[in-house]
Amino acid sequence: MGSGSVWMFDFFGSVMPVFFIVVIGIILLSAGKGILQWSQNNRQPLLSVDSKIVSKRTEVKHTQQTDDTMSSRTRTTYYLTFEVESGDRMEFIVNGEEFGMCAEGDEGLLRFQGTRYYGFARHPKAHLGVVRGYEHPK
């Protein structure tokens, strides 16, 4: 072995610990951010406010495995955007079933705590006596 291989071992001996520390730092920073958000949500009051669904969207992430199995995974995240009486808008992650039951324009009672979504109860639509173009006698 020549002096070139000694240089390589010295390079990896000094770079790998720095790389390891950076990766651990990123993991700890992410965990700390999650704990901070959880703590801030716990300090917020549980609110129930009249709101309207103004937008629905999905985010689909597809990952392909690089091994020989050729397996893949797809994950869909569902979002609802609500507008409250003050005009402020808030977007929450919801499950697929609730996403499918909601439509843009639905009005109801939104329950949340900070960034934590607890549910949406739709107000029933007022029937004005008109059903499928036929006006019922009064």
PDB file of all heavy atoms in Angstrom, residues 90-106:
ATOM      1  N   MET A  90     -57.639  28.108   7.431  1.00  0.00           N
ATOM      2  CA  MET A  90     -56.794  27.113   8.087  1.00  0.00           C
ATOM      3  C   MET A  90     -56.893  25.808   7.322  1.00  0.00           C
ATOM      4  O   MET A  90     -57.985  25.404   6.912  1.00  0.00           O
ATOM      5  CB  MET A  90     -57.259  26.898   9.525  1.00  0.00           C
ATOM      6  CG  MET A  90     -57.082  28.105  10.409  1.00  0.00           C
ATOM      7  SD  MET A  90     -57.870  27.882  12.002  1.00  0.00           S
ATOM      8  CE  MET A  90     -59.549  28.258  11.574  1.00  0.00           C
ATOM      9  N   GLU A  91     -55.757  25.157   7.140  1.00  0.00           N
ATOM     10  CA  GLU A  91     -55.727  23.878   6.439  1.00  0.00           C
ATOM     11  C   GLU A  91     -55.352  22.784   7.429  1.00  0.00           C
ATOM     12  O   GLU A  91     -54.422  22.940   8.219  1.00  0.00           O
ATOM     13  CB  GLU A  91     -54.715  23.923   5.292  1.00  0.00           C
ATOM     14  CG  GLU A  91     -54.680  22.650   4.493  1.00  0.00           C
ATOM     15  CD  GLU A  91     -53.745  22.723   3.307  1.00  0.00           C
ATOM     16  OE1 GLU A  91     -52.521  22.797   3.531  1.00  0.00           O
ATOM     17  OE2 GLU A  91     -54.243  22.716   2.166  1.00  0.00           O
ATOM     18  N   PHE A  92     -56.096  21.675   7.382  1.00  0.00           N
ATOM     19  CA  PHE A  92     -55.852  20.550   8.274  1.00  0.00           C
ATOM     20  C   PHE A  92     -55.739  19.258   7.480  1.00  0.00           C
ATOM     21  O   PHE A  92     -56.390  19.097   6.442  1.00  0.00           O
ATOM     22  CB  PHE A  92     -56.999  20.399   9.290  1.00  0.00           C
ATOM     23  CG  PHE A  92     -57.132  21.557  10.232  1.00  0.00           C
ATOM     24  CD1 PHE A  92     -58.091  22.536  10.030  1.00  0.00           C
ATOM     25  CD2 PHE A  92     -56.306  21.664  11.340  1.00  0.00           C
ATOM     26  CE1 PHE A  92     -58.229  23.599  10.901  1.00  0.00           C
ATOM     27  CE2 PHE A  92     -56.426  22.718  12.223  1.00  0.00           C
ATOM     28  CZ  PHE A  92     -57.388  23.684  12.007  1.00  0.00           C
ATOM     29  N   ILE A  93     -54.951  18.350   7.994  1.00  0.00           N
ATOM     30  CA  ILE A  93     -54.876  16.995   7.433  1.00  0.00           C
ATOM     31  C   ILE A  93     -56.040  16.203   8.001  1.00  0.00           C
ATOM     32  O   ILE A  93     -56.303  16.244   9.211  1.00  0.00           O
ATOM     33  CB  ILE A  93     -53.537  16.326   7.797  1.00  0.00           C
ATOM     34  CG1 ILE A  93     -52.387  17.081   7.141  1.00  0.00           C
ATOM     35  CG2 ILE A  93     -53.535  14.867   7.376  1.00  0.00           C
ATOM     36  CD1 ILE A  93     -51.009  16.578   7.537  1.00  0.00           C
ATOM     37  N   VAL A  94     -56.767  15.497   7.144  1.00  0.00           N
ATOM     38  CA  VAL A  94     -57.902  14.674   7.563  1.00  0.00           C
ATOM     39  C   VAL A  94     -57.723  13.273   6.991  1.00  0.00           C
ATOM     40  O   VAL A  94     -56.902  13.043   6.109  1.00  0.00           O
ATOM     41  CB  VAL A  94     -59.252  15.280   7.098  1.00  0.00           C
ATOM     42  CG1 VAL A  94     -59.455  16.658   7.702  1.00  0.00           C
ATOM     43  CG2 VAL A  94     -59.340  15.339   5.592  1.00  0.00           C
ATOM     44  N   ASN A  95     -58.532  12.324   7.493  1.00  0.00           N
ATOM     45  CA  ASN A  95     -58.449  10.973   6.938  1.00  0.00           C
ATOM     46  C   ASN A  95     -59.260  10.895   5.637  1.00  0.00           C
ATOM     47  O   ASN A  95     -60.064  11.762   5.334  1.00  0.00           O
ATOM     48  CB  ASN A  95     -58.893   9.923   7.966  1.00  0.00           C
ATOM     49  CG  ASN A  95     -60.346  10.042   8.346  1.00  0.00           C
ATOM     50  OD1 ASN A  95     -61.209  10.337   7.521  1.00  0.00           O
ATOM     51  ND2 ASN A  95     -60.648   9.788   9.614  1.00  0.00           N
ATOM     52  N   GLY A  96     -59.030   9.842   4.880  1.00  0.00           N
ATOM     53  CA  GLY A  96     -59.655   9.697   3.571  1.00  0.00           C
ATOM     54  C   GLY A  96     -61.169   9.616   3.623  1.00  0.00           C
ATOM     55  O   GLY A  96     -61.857  10.131   2.746  1.00  0.00           O
ATOM     56  N   GLU A  97     -61.699   8.972   4.652  1.00  0.00           N
ATOM     57  CA  GLU A  97     -63.152   8.840   4.768  1.00  0.00           C
ATOM     58  C   GLU A  97     -63.807  10.205   4.970  1.00  0.00           C
ATOM     59  O   GLU A  97     -64.787  10.540   4.314  1.00  0.00           O
ATOM     60  CB  GLU A  97     -63.502   7.913   5.930  1.00  0.00           C
ATOM     61  CG  GLU A  97     -64.977   7.679   6.094  1.00  0.00           C
ATOM     62  CD  GLU A  97     -65.291   6.721   7.231  1.00  0.00           C
ATOM     63  OE1 GLU A  97     -64.376   6.052   7.734  1.00  0.00           O
ATOM     64  OE2 GLU A  97     -66.478   6.658   7.611  1.00  0.00           O
ATOM     65  N   GLU A  98     -63.239  11.002   5.874  1.00  0.00           N
ATOM     66  CA  GLU A  98     -63.803  12.330   6.123  1.00  0.00           C
ATOM     67  C   GLU A  98     -63.630  13.224   4.890  1.00  0.00           C
ATOM     68  O   GLU A  98     -64.510  14.007   4.552  1.00  0.00           O
ATOM     69  CB  GLU A  98     -63.129  12.962   7.336  1.00  0.00           C
ATOM     70  CG  GLU A  98     -63.762  14.268   7.729  1.00  0.00           C
ATOM     71  CD  GLU A  98     -63.651  14.554   9.203  1.00  0.00           C
ATOM     72  OE1 GLU A  98     -62.984  13.815   9.926  1.00  0.00           O
ATOM     73  OE2 GLU A  98     -64.263  15.538   9.624  1.00  0.00           O
ATOM     74  N   PHE A  99     -62.494  13.111   4.212  1.00  0.00           N
ATOM     75  CA  PHE A  99     -62.247  13.869   2.993  1.00  0.00           C
ATOM     76  C   PHE A  99     -63.328  13.576   1.958  1.00  0.00           C
ATOM     77  O   PHE A  99     -63.840  14.485   1.307  1.00  0.00           O
ATOM     78  CB  PHE A  99     -60.861  13.510   2.432  1.00  0.00           C
ATOM     79  CG  PHE A  99     -60.485  14.260   1.200  1.00  0.00           C
ATOM     80  CD1 PHE A  99     -59.908  15.518   1.281  1.00  0.00           C
ATOM     81  CD2 PHE A  99     -60.684  13.712  -0.055  1.00  0.00           C
ATOM     82  CE1 PHE A  99     -59.536  16.214   0.142  1.00  0.00           C
ATOM     83  CE2 PHE A  99     -60.321  14.402  -1.205  1.00  0.00           C
ATOM     84  CZ  PHE A  99     -59.748  15.656  -1.101  1.00  0.00           C
ATOM     85  N   GLY A 100     -63.689  12.312   1.810  1.00  0.00           N
ATOM     86  CA  GLY A 100     -64.695  11.923   0.832  1.00  0.00           C
ATOM     87  C   GLY A 100     -66.096  12.393   1.182  1.00  0.00           C
ATOM     88  O   GLY A 100     -66.926  12.602   0.294  1.00  0.00           O
ATOM     89  N   MET A 101     -66.366  12.572   2.457  1.00  0.00           N
ATOM     90  CA  MET A 101     -67.698  12.998   2.904  1.00  0.00           C
ATOM     91  C   MET A 101     -67.886  14.512   2.827  1.00  0.00           C
ATOM     92  O   MET A 101     -68.997  14.999   2.955  1.00  0.00           O
ATOM     93  CB  MET A 101     -67.947  12.541   4.343  1.00  0.00           C
ATOM     94  CG  MET A 101     -67.980  11.034   4.503  1.00  0.00           C
ATOM     95  SD  MET A 101     -69.339  10.270   3.629  1.00  0.00           S
ATOM     96  CE  MET A 101     -70.716  10.850   4.583  1.00  0.00           C
ATOM     97  N   CYS A 102     -66.809  15.254   2.647  1.00  0.00           N
ATOM     98  CA  CYS A 102     -66.886  16.718   2.628  1.00  0.00           C
ATOM     99  C   CYS A 102     -66.832  17.242   1.197  1.00  0.00           C
ATOM    100  O   CYS A 102     -66.225  16.631   0.327  1.00  0.00           O
ATOM    101  CB  CYS A 102     -65.724  17.316   3.416  1.00  0.00           C
ATOM    102  SG  CYS A 102     -65.811  16.989   5.189  1.00  0.00           S
ATOM    103  N   ALA A 103     -67.480  18.380   0.987  1.00  0.00           N
ATOM    104  CA  ALA A 103     -67.464  19.033  -0.322  1.00  0.00           C
ATOM    105  C   ALA A 103     -67.174  20.514  -0.128  1.00  0.00           C
ATOM    106  O   ALA A 103     -67.500  21.092   0.915  1.00  0.00           O
ATOM    107  CB  ALA A 103     -68.810  18.860  -1.017  1.00  0.00           C
ATOM    108  N   GLU A 104     -66.549  21.104  -1.127  1.00  0.00           N
ATOM    109  CA  GLU A 104     -66.322  22.547  -1.068  1.00  0.00           C
ATOM    110  C   GLU A 104     -67.672  23.244  -0.959  1.00  0.00           C
ATOM    111  O   GLU A 104     -68.620  22.881  -1.632  1.00  0.00           O
ATOM    112  CB  GLU A 104     -65.569  23.025  -2.308  1.00  0.00           C
ATOM    113  CG  GLU A 104     -64.128  22.566  -2.331  1.00  0.00           C
ATOM    114  CD  GLU A 104     -63.358  23.110  -3.514  1.00  0.00           C
ATOM    115  OE1 GLU A 104     -63.812  24.086  -4.143  1.00  0.00           O
ATOM    116  OE2 GLU A 104     -62.286  22.546  -3.805  1.00  0.00           O
ATOM    117  N   GLY A 105     -67.736  24.218  -0.084  1.00  0.00           N
ATOM    118  CA  GLY A 105     -68.984  24.943   0.136  1.00  0.00           C
ATOM    119  C   GLY A 105     -69.749  24.460   1.346  1.00  0.00           C
ATOM    120  O   GLY A 105     -70.672  25.141   1.801  1.00  0.00           O
ATOM    121  N   ASP A 106     -69.413  23.290   1.884  1.00  0.00           N
ATOM    122  CA  ASP A 106     -70.080  22.801   3.102  1.00  0.00           C
ATOM    123  C   ASP A 106     -69.828  23.775   4.238  1.00  0.00           C
ATOM    124  O   ASP A 106     -68.720  24.276   4.414  1.00  0.00           O
ATOM    125  CB  ASP A 106     -69.557  21.418   3.510  1.00  0.00           C
ATOM    126  CG  ASP A 106     -70.121  20.295   2.676  1.00  0.00           C
ATOM    127  OD1 ASP A 106     -71.038  20.552   1.873  1.00  0.00           O
ATOM    128  OD2 ASP A 106     -69.648  19.153   2.833  1.00  0.00           O
TER     129      ASP A 106
END
